[in-house]
Every structure is written in structure tokens, then in C-alpha cells.
Amino acid sequence: MPGRPRPGEFELIGELFAPLAADEPGALGLLDDAALIAPRAGFDLATAVDTLVEGVHFLSSDPPFDVARKLLRVNLSDLAAMGARPRVYLLGLAVPDGIGFDWLRGFARGLASDQARFGISLAGGDTTAISGPACLSLTAIGEVEPGRSPLRANAAAGEHVYVSGTVGDAALGLRALRGEDLGLSESGREAAIARYRVPEPRLELGMALLASAAIDVSDGLIADIGHICAASGLGANVEAARVPLSGAARSALGRGAVEIVDLLTGGDDYELVFTAPADRSDAVRAAAARARVPVARIGTMTEGEGVSVFDTANARIAIDRAGYRHF
Amino acid sequence: MPGRPRPGEFELIGELFAPLAADEPGALGLLDDAALIAPRAGFDLATAVDTLVEGVHFLSSDPPFDVARKLLRVNLSDLAAMGARPRVYLLGLAVPDGIGFDWLRGFARGLASDQARFGISLAGGDTTAISGPACLSLTAIGEVEPGRSPLRANAAAGEHVYVSGTVGDAALGLRALRGEDLGLSESGREAAIARYRVPEPRLELGMALLASAAIDVSDGLIADIGHICAASGLGANVEAARVPLSGAARSALGRGAVEIVDLLTGGDDYELVFTAPADRSDAVRAAAARARVPVARIGTMTEGEGVSVFDTANARIAIDRAGYRHF
């Protein structure tokens, strides 16, 4: 429709994006109105969409290579939480005048790099103009055996609550990027910023696990456990001291630059939180070893509702805000 | 991740969007990280994404009920061009503070209305904040038998070029909305605005046709025929006098308020343009009758390249810009 008449979409598609679709026959070279995906017999398709907005989910100064990887990875993280294997993705890009071909070339390079790493191809998309911040939407499609996905509603009382990796680093990274002095070492600061800019989707772990319920940590650890609680009609007890922290986070905490609540409610970690019956703890450990991802037991699902967090003295820690919420 | 802390996403999803997903078991009540779509055996999935940006693809003053239907329909139009039957869709909404619950309720009502009409369900989505114009992205997923889709690259020299419905009305509607006096009758003006605001995806026609190549008219009739030409390595001759026009468009043309080139290059009509061998003209007519959509033959595919448009004296009409282009 009549957007601003501005050449470029076809050149853009041909030069930057068509090469990203070369390995997927269903992408039809990005020439057609839709991609045609042939489903593999015996698999469901897991489909997730996430949107990153400039100034909200990434900073204008973030390298486009990293923005692209973040956009892809936050969606892959959703597939990970469903135990799905990535297959294709579609892009919906609204980009202002200020973002030119160079930025988009860096963006396409980031996608290419992650496509190779995660075994996924571009299958289709749409680019348009916007008089405002860049608005980047991605739909990821993966394959999963029917009944295999650990749905949020499937947790049971008494099950153990686990989290992968470490929690709170992305929130530290964002604060560092905003100029806060957290007293981090240079390498700690860089690692935290890298976690904010480029999350690590736990795909291998998601596929290896046989969890009851799972979610990825995007709103914040406590908020995301709260989503499992709400969907399952249960509560959860979390022991703060068991929540795995990076060296940088421990150091910022020790120095008083952040509080434990900041780490437990910070978003954007994209670790997996999941529940499993107590008698499956060996299987959980084996899956984590297979996926080469550390996993820690941090709590227990309970009757009732809401997430209760306890310190080492077994006193309850007040959580004022259970995590940032987008709109 | 840390967007502005603002309550509402979960209320929004629960009240407005979960009801739209109630009929699709794979939507999982919008509670999970991804939808799980069970493909129907023997079908490919056609997937399309289109983004509408406030101020570019719709006006801030457009009713949200219509914006929602436009967003859904421009994607359904892509499925129509692939001969696919709609099944589910996912939403990626970035919405500024200025757009409140009332606007979104009207938007959800528009989706509900069109879901019933086109037999499609919401399966998943994402809502976030944006400091700028609303950016609304939708991914539509439909089913189509393998090999059935009329790809853009499949046109052959000598094939007839057809278009459904009438062309140029959406461009008139946009000009009328922008305050231009086109000398239209009140009913003609309203009809043109309705075509701009709420396109009619030609799904039944797309499923009934056995075309060689097809595309929906979004960039403008001549530009979109040009896409078929480019993908097929061919040219096309179009006879301007054969292009079907509405009464309103003919009247604006007769009065000199618009030129034929404006109608041939105006975007947003969402009619189907397609090619078929000459010996299939009876089958084309039969499919159009079955779908109850008028179809007109407007030209012929040729060797060479580019779209040549001729007037009734067989003189070539200059087309300066082959259609608006987004970004």
C-alpha cells in the first residue's frame, strides 16, 4: 500500500535476505506471497512470535549483529521451553529512515551466523518503513513430538523447581550499559553486557529434558515461576541462596551494588525454569549433562498460589514487583 | 525484558485475546511460550507475515475494528494468492501509550468478526510497548496441497493475465481520506474508503483456481504483474481498457480527478492477479463463477521483460513509477 515511495525493498531482499533463505526450499527464494513448509510426519509445529522494539528491548547503540541474534534467540528460547527443534523463521521488520543499508547488512550477518549455529533458515518476511523506533518481529517455527512439550499448566505440587545457567546477569548488563557503576571487573562487565545483548537459548537442554512444566526466563525468574504457578493452579517456594549466580553477580551483590531481589526479578536471562517430580532428579541431572548446561534445584511446587522466596534463615523475602512487564 | 514496568499484558491477553484462541487447542489458551500446531496429513503449511504501521499503512483515525480486519486480511490475501485455506494466525503487537484498552477492545472485536467469517483462530502472540507509532505484525498460517500453489515464477509466455474484482479503489479511498475532492458521490466515496480500510481477500477464488502464477495486488497492479514477470523471466502486455474499474473510479477518471495511471499503480487493492494458459480460459471462468468473484482478462505474458501498458489506440502508456514501494 502507499507507504513512502522509496526504492530498496527488493534490493534489500535480494542482497541481504535471499541468501538467508537459500537452504530452505519452502522459502521459494522469498519471491512469493507465502512460504510453503512441508511438515515432517509425526511432528507438531511449535510457533512463537516475539517483537523487539528499539529503545525498549534493545538500545540504538547495540551492534546490529547482536540485535539480530537477540531477535532470533528470544524466539528460539520460546521453542526451547517447548522442547522443540528449530526449523524456519519469518521476519516482520519496520525500520526508520535512520537505519540504513549498513545497519541492515550487519543485522543480516548476525542472522546468518546464528542460522548456522542453530540449524534454522529464513523462510519469509516483510519489510516496511516506520516513523519511529525500529520494530522487529520474528516468528519461529520448530518441530516437536506431540505430547512432548512441558506446558506451563502441567506442574504438580511437590515437584522440584529447577533453573539452568545463572540468573540476573542480563539485568546487570543493562544497568552497566546505562552507565551505572556496579563495581564489576572489566571482564565481568563485558560478560554481563553480552548476556543482555545476546542470550543463549537452551535448545539442547529443552530437547533433552522430560520436564512437567517449563518456561524461559524473560520477565524475571520470580515472575516466570509465577506464570507456571498461575497456569498450574499452584504456588512455589524458592530458596534464594540456591539460585545460581555468576561471579559478577555475586561480586555486585557482595559490594551492595545490587540486591538479591534485583537479580531474582531482572528479566532477559532466557534460562529455562522447569519442574519435575522428585523421583526424576537423576534424569534431570543426566539431561543437563548431555546438554552441557548447569542446572540447579531452587525450590518446590506447593499447594496454594504465588511464589514465596526465602533467605538462608528461612525468612520470607519481600518481592515488591514480581518482574517487569511489557505493555 | 525490562520494558517500562506497566501492568496490563496479562489482563489484556486474558480478557481480549484468549477468547480469540478458544477454538484452537494448539493455542494452549495463550498460556505457553509457543503454540503447537498439528499439521493435517497431506498438506503443506503456507505461512505469510505482513506488518501494518500507524501512519504508513493505516491512519490513526481509522477505527480499530477496521485496522484489525485489515491486518488479518492483508495476510489472508497472501494465503489466497497461494491457493491456501486459512487455519491460524499469530500476532506481534507493539502499541504506544496513547492506545488504550478501548482501542484494543475494538481491535479484538474486529479480529473476532473476521475469525468467524474466514474460519481462522488466533494461536499465539506477543504484545509490547513502543515509543512511537503502533506497529502491528501478523503471521498467517494456512493449508495447501503440495504443488497446488501458483508460484510467481511459473508463468509462461502466451498465457493470459487476469485480475479479479476492480482495481484502483483503495488508492481513491486513501486520497479521499486525505481530503482530496475527487468529485465522488457520497456512496462512491464511502465504498472507496471501505476498500482502502478493509480489503477483501480472494480466498475462495484462490482455492478454486488452477492458475500458473498468482500474486495479490498490494504494491499496485502494474508493479505486482512486474513481480510475476521478474520471477518468471518474462514480460507482459496489459490493455488498460480491459482493466476492470468500479463506477466510482470510472467517474473520477471521466472527471479528470485521477488518471488511469494512478489507478493502475495504486496499491492496496488486494485483488488477485494471475496467469493461465489460453486453453484454460473456460476453467478460469468456471472457478470465478464458483467463487462468485468477477475476473477479467487484461493482458498476455510475453517474452522479454517488464510490463507494457497500451491504450485503446494501441499506443504505449508511460508508467513512471510502477507502484509504491515500502521501505
Side-chain angles (χ1 to χ4, degrees):
Chain A
M1 67 75 52
R4 276 164 297 162
R6 169 174 165 177
E9 180 170 9
F10 302 103
E11 294 74 4
L12 207 66
I13 291 172
E15 282 183 45
L16 298 184
F17 295 115
L20 301 176
D23 290 340
E24 170 55 50
L28 304 169
L30 304 185
L31 284 174
D32 271 277
D33 288 293
L36 294 175
I37 309 303
R40 200 147 56 102
F43 288 87
D44 283 352
L45 293 178
T47 60
V49 58
D50 261 315
T51 303
L52 300 189
V53 175
E54 185 182 358
V56 180
H57 305 92
F58 66 94
L59 305 175
S60 306
S61 54
D62 286 344
F65 188 88
D66 288 349
V67 174
R69 293 194 297 161
K70 180 165 192 169
L71 177 62
L72 186 55
R73 289 172 181 214
V74 297
N75 280 284
L76 294 182
S77 182
D78 285 328
L79 297 189
M82 302 299 274
R85 180 181 298 281
R87 181 156 170 195
V88 294
Y89 67 98
L90 298 99
L91 285 172
L93 306 180
V95 185
D97 279 339
I99 281 185
F101 196 83
D102 280 351
W103 195 96
L104 288 163
R105 186 164 42 210
F107 182 83
R109 280 188 185 140
L111 292 174
S113 167
D114 265 6
Q115 287 194 185
R117 172 141 181 230
F118 297 109
I120 193 169
S121 275
L122 179 64
D126 177 50
T127 61
T128 186
I130 186 170
S131 302
C135 177
L136 313 174
S137 192
L138 190 145
T139 300
I141 300 180
E143 293 175 333
V144 63
E145 287 164 62
R148 166 106 186 47
S149 297
L151 307 186
R152 293 185 194 178
N154 284 356
E159 287 190 336
H160 294 177
V161 179
Y162 297 87
V163 69
S164 64
T166 59
V167 164
D169 300 303
L172 284 186
L174 178 61
R175 289 167 71 157
L177 275 173
R178 287 183 171 157
E180 274 189 58
D181 181 10
L182 304 166
L184 300 177
S185 67
E186 193 49 38
S187 67
R189 184 176 179 277
E190 280 173 11
I193 290 174
R195 287 225 39 199
Y196 168 71
R197 281 191 173 149
V198 186
E200 187 64 41
R202 299 301 193 184
L203 286 159
E204 294 300 328
L205 180 64
M207 289 186 275
L209 278 176
L210 280 172
S212 299
I215 188 171
D216 66 331
V217 180
S218 55
D219 293 336
L221 178 67
I222 302 305
D224 288 311
I225 296 174
H227 298 331
I228 290 180
C229 290
S232 296
L234 294 171
N237 291 339
V238 170
E239 295 174 58
R242 285 175 175 263
V243 173
L245 302 178
S246 67
R250 277 197 309 271
S251 130
L253 198 58
R255 196 172 290 107
V258 295
E259 294 179 42
I260 183 68
V261 171
D262 298 327
L263 302 173
L264 299 180
T265 60
D268 253 358
D269 287 313
Y270 298 99
E271 296 294 347
L272 288 189
V273 180
F274 58 94
T275 75
D279 63 11
R280 222 185 282 155
S281 60
D282 286 348
V284 167
R285 255 177 283 278
R290 250 188 343 270
R292 287 186 216 134
V293 175
V295 158
R297 184 189 162 200
I298 59 171
T300 308
M301 297 301 297
T302 64
E303 302 292 348
E305 62 179 33
V307 183
S308 304
V309 184
F310 298 93
D311 66 16
T312 46
N314 214 27
R316 200 157 158 186
I317 299 175
I319 306 279
D320 288 335
R321 59 179 184 181
Y324 286 100
R325 289 175 170 192
H326 311 164
F327 180 70
Chain B
M1 67 76 53
R4 276 165 297 164
R6 170 176 166 175
E9 178 169 7
F10 301 104
E11 293 77 1
L12 207 67
I13 291 172
E15 282 183 44
L16 298 183
F17 294 117
L20 300 176
D23 290 340
E24 170 56 50
L28 305 168
L30 305 183
L31 284 175
D32 270 279
D33 287 294
L36 295 175
I37 308 302
R40 198 146 57 102
F43 288 86
D44 283 352
L45 293 177
T47 61
V49 58
D50 261 316
T51 303
L52 300 189
V53 176
E54 185 182 0
V56 180
H57 304 92
F58 66 94
L59 306 175
S60 305
S61 54
D62 286 344
F65 187 87
D66 288 350
V67 173
R69 294 193 298 162
K70 181 166 190 166
L71 177 63
L72 186 55
R73 289 174 181 213
V74 298
N75 279 285
L76 295 181
S77 182
D78 285 328
L79 297 189
M82 303 299 273
R85 179 181 300 281
R87 181 157 169 193
V88 294
Y89 67 97
L90 298 98
L91 285 172
L93 306 180
V95 184
D97 279 338
I99 281 185
F101 197 84
D102 279 350
W103 195 95
L104 288 163
R105 185 163 43 208
F107 182 83
R109 282 188 185 141
L111 293 174
S113 166
D114 265 5
Q115 285 195 186
R117 170 137 183 234
F118 296 110
I120 192 167
S121 274
L122 179 64
D126 176 50
T127 60
T128 185
I130 185 169
S131 302
C135 177
L136 314 174
S137 193
L138 190 145
T139 300
I141 301 181
E143 294 174 331
V144 62
E145 287 165 60
R148 165 105 187 46
S149 296
L151 306 186
R152 292 185 194 178
N154 283 356
E159 287 191 336
H160 294 176
V161 179
Y162 298 87
V163 69
S164 64
T166 60
V167 163
D169 300 304
L172 284 186
L174 179 60
R175 289 167 72 159
L177 275 173
R178 286 183 170 156
E180 274 190 57
D181 180 11
L182 303 166
L184 300 177
S185 68
E186 194 48 37
S187 68
R189 184 176 178 279
E190 279 173 12
I193 289 173
R195 288 234 26 208
Y196 168 72
R197 281 192 173 148
V198 187
E200 187 64 42
R202 299 302 194 184
L203 286 159
E204 293 300 327
L205 181 64
M207 289 187 275
L209 277 176
L210 281 171
S212 299
I215 188 172
D216 67 329
V217 180
S218 55
D219 293 336
L221 178 68
I222 303 305
D224 288 310
I225 296 173
H227 298 331
I228 290 179
C229 289
S232 296
L234 294 172
N237 291 338
V238 169
E239 296 174 57
R242 283 174 175 264
V243 173
L245 302 178
S246 67
R250 278 199 307 273
S251 129
L253 198 58
R255 195 173 291 105
V258 294
E259 293 178 43
I260 184 69
V261 171
D262 299 325
L263 302 174
L264 298 179
T265 60
D268 253 359
D269 288 313
Y270 297 99
E271 296 295 347
L272 289 188
V273 180
F274 57 94
T275 75
D279 63 11
R280 222 186 284 153
S281 60
D282 286 348
V284 167
R285 254 176 285 278
R290 248 185 349 267
R292 289 191 215 130
V293 175
V295 158
R297 185 190 162 201
I298 59 171
T300 308
M301 298 302 296
T302 64
E303 302 292 348
E305 62 179 35
V307 184
S308 304
V309 184
F310 297 93
D311 66 15
T312 46
N314 215 27
R316 202 159 155 184
I317 300 175
I319 306 279
D320 288 336
R321 61 185 181 179
Y324 286 100
R325 289 173 171 194
H326 313 164
F327 180 70

mmCIF file of all heavy atoms in Angstrom, chain B residues 50 68 160 182 190 204 210 237 248 267 289 296:
data_model
loop_
_atom_site.group_PDB
_atom_site.id
_atom_site.type_symbol
_atom_site.label_atom_id
_atom_site.label_comp_id
_atom_site.label_asym_id
_atom_site.label_seq_id
_atom_site.Cartn_x
_atom_site.Cartn_y
_atom_site.Cartn_z
ATOM 1 N N ASP B 50 2.815 -10.035 7.454
ATOM 2 C CA ASP B 50 2.711 -8.652 7.000
ATOM 3 C C ASP B 50 2.565 -7.766 8.220
ATOM 4 O O ASP B 50 1.940 -8.145 9.202
ATOM 5 C CB ASP B 50 1.499 -8.453 6.085
ATOM 6 C CG ASP B 50 1.889 -8.468 4.607
ATOM 7 O OD1 ASP B 50 2.897 -7.829 4.252
ATOM 8 O OD2 ASP B 50 1.190 -9.114 3.825
ATOM 9 N N ALA B 68 -7.885 -3.931 12.598
ATOM 10 C CA ALA B 68 -7.699 -5.359 12.882
ATOM 11 C C ALA B 68 -8.051 -6.189 11.663
ATOM 12 O O ALA B 68 -7.318 -7.118 11.285
ATOM 13 C CB ALA B 68 -8.574 -5.770 14.068
ATOM 14 N N HIS B 160 -2.554 -16.012 -20.573
ATOM 15 C CA HIS B 160 -3.395 -14.846 -20.327
ATOM 16 C C HIS B 160 -3.172 -14.321 -18.911
ATOM 17 O O HIS B 160 -2.879 -15.086 -18.000
ATOM 18 C CB HIS B 160 -4.868 -15.217 -20.508
ATOM 19 C CG HIS B 160 -5.205 -15.569 -21.930
ATOM 20 N ND1 HIS B 160 -6.450 -16.005 -22.321
ATOM 21 C CD2 HIS B 160 -4.453 -15.550 -23.057
ATOM 22 C CE1 HIS B 160 -6.441 -16.246 -23.623
ATOM 23 N NE2 HIS B 160 -5.238 -15.980 -24.096
ATOM 24 N N LEU B 182 -12.443 14.352 -5.068
ATOM 25 C CA LEU B 182 -12.396 13.572 -6.303
ATOM 26 C C LEU B 182 -13.737 13.630 -7.016
ATOM 27 O O LEU B 182 -13.942 12.962 -8.026
ATOM 28 C CB LEU B 182 -12.044 12.114 -5.982
ATOM 29 C CG LEU B 182 -10.722 11.921 -5.217
ATOM 30 C CD1 LEU B 182 -10.613 10.515 -4.653
ATOM 31 C CD2 LEU B 182 -9.533 12.206 -6.136
ATOM 32 N N GLU B 190 -17.663 6.490 0.045
ATOM 33 C CA GLU B 190 -17.654 5.528 1.147
ATOM 34 C C GLU B 190 -17.159 4.154 0.707
ATOM 35 O O GLU B 190 -16.428 3.484 1.439
ATOM 36 C CB GLU B 190 -19.057 5.403 1.758
ATOM 37 C CG GLU B 190 -19.350 6.531 2.728
ATOM 38 C CD GLU B 190 -20.793 6.520 3.212
ATOM 39 O OE1 GLU B 190 -21.501 5.522 2.982
ATOM 40 O OE2 GLU B 190 -21.190 7.535 3.816
ATOM 41 N N GLU B 204 -11.668 -17.739 -1.663
ATOM 42 C CA GLU B 204 -12.426 -18.758 -2.404
ATOM 43 C C GLU B 204 -11.892 -18.858 -3.828
ATOM 44 O O GLU B 204 -11.733 -19.947 -4.373
ATOM 45 C CB GLU B 204 -13.919 -18.416 -2.409
ATOM 46 C CG GLU B 204 -14.583 -18.487 -1.037
ATOM 47 C CD GLU B 204 -14.486 -19.876 -0.399
ATOM 48 O OE1 GLU B 204 -14.511 -20.875 -1.145
ATOM 49 O OE2 GLU B 204 -14.363 -19.957 0.837
ATOM 50 N N LEU B 210 -7.001 -22.943 -10.811
ATOM 51 C CA LEU B 210 -5.761 -23.659 -11.103
ATOM 52 C C LEU B 210 -4.952 -22.744 -12.011
ATOM 53 O O LEU B 210 -4.918 -22.913 -13.231
ATOM 54 C CB LEU B 210 -6.052 -25.009 -11.747
ATOM 55 C CG LEU B 210 -6.470 -26.081 -10.727
ATOM 56 C CD1 LEU B 210 -6.952 -27.335 -11.407
ATOM 57 C CD2 LEU B 210 -5.295 -26.410 -9.796
ATOM 58 N N ASN B 237 2.116 -7.760 -21.616
ATOM 59 C CA ASN B 237 1.375 -6.653 -22.211
ATOM 60 C C ASN B 237 0.022 -6.560 -21.523
ATOM 61 O O ASN B 237 -0.666 -7.572 -21.369
ATOM 62 C CB ASN B 237 1.148 -6.884 -23.709
ATOM 63 C CG ASN B 237 2.462 -6.801 -24.491
ATOM 64 O OD1 ASN B 237 3.425 -6.189 -24.023
ATOM 65 N ND2 ASN B 237 2.486 -7.419 -25.658
ATOM 66 N N ALA B 248 -17.182 4.276 -9.250
ATOM 67 C CA ALA B 248 -16.554 5.455 -8.648
ATOM 68 C C ALA B 248 -15.249 5.794 -9.367
ATOM 69 O O ALA B 248 -14.968 6.959 -9.659
ATOM 70 C CB ALA B 248 -16.294 5.204 -7.163
ATOM 71 N N GLY B 267 -1.824 1.125 -4.841
ATOM 72 C CA GLY B 267 -1.666 -0.133 -4.120
ATOM 73 C C GLY B 267 -2.911 -0.522 -3.353
ATOM 74 O O GLY B 267 -3.969 0.093 -3.492
ATOM 75 N N ALA B 289 -16.843 -18.170 -11.301
ATOM 76 C CA ALA B 289 -18.282 -18.278 -11.033
ATOM 77 C C ALA B 289 -18.511 -19.014 -9.722
ATOM 78 O O ALA B 289 -19.352 -18.623 -8.906
ATOM 79 C CB ALA B 289 -18.975 -19.001 -12.193
ATOM 80 N N ALA B 296 -11.422 -10.654 -14.912
ATOM 81 C CA ALA B 296 -11.293 -10.102 -16.265
ATOM 82 C C ALA B 296 -9.919 -10.417 -16.828
ATOM 83 O O ALA B 296 -8.919 -10.329 -16.114
ATOM 84 C CB ALA B 296 -11.491 -8.585 -16.228
#
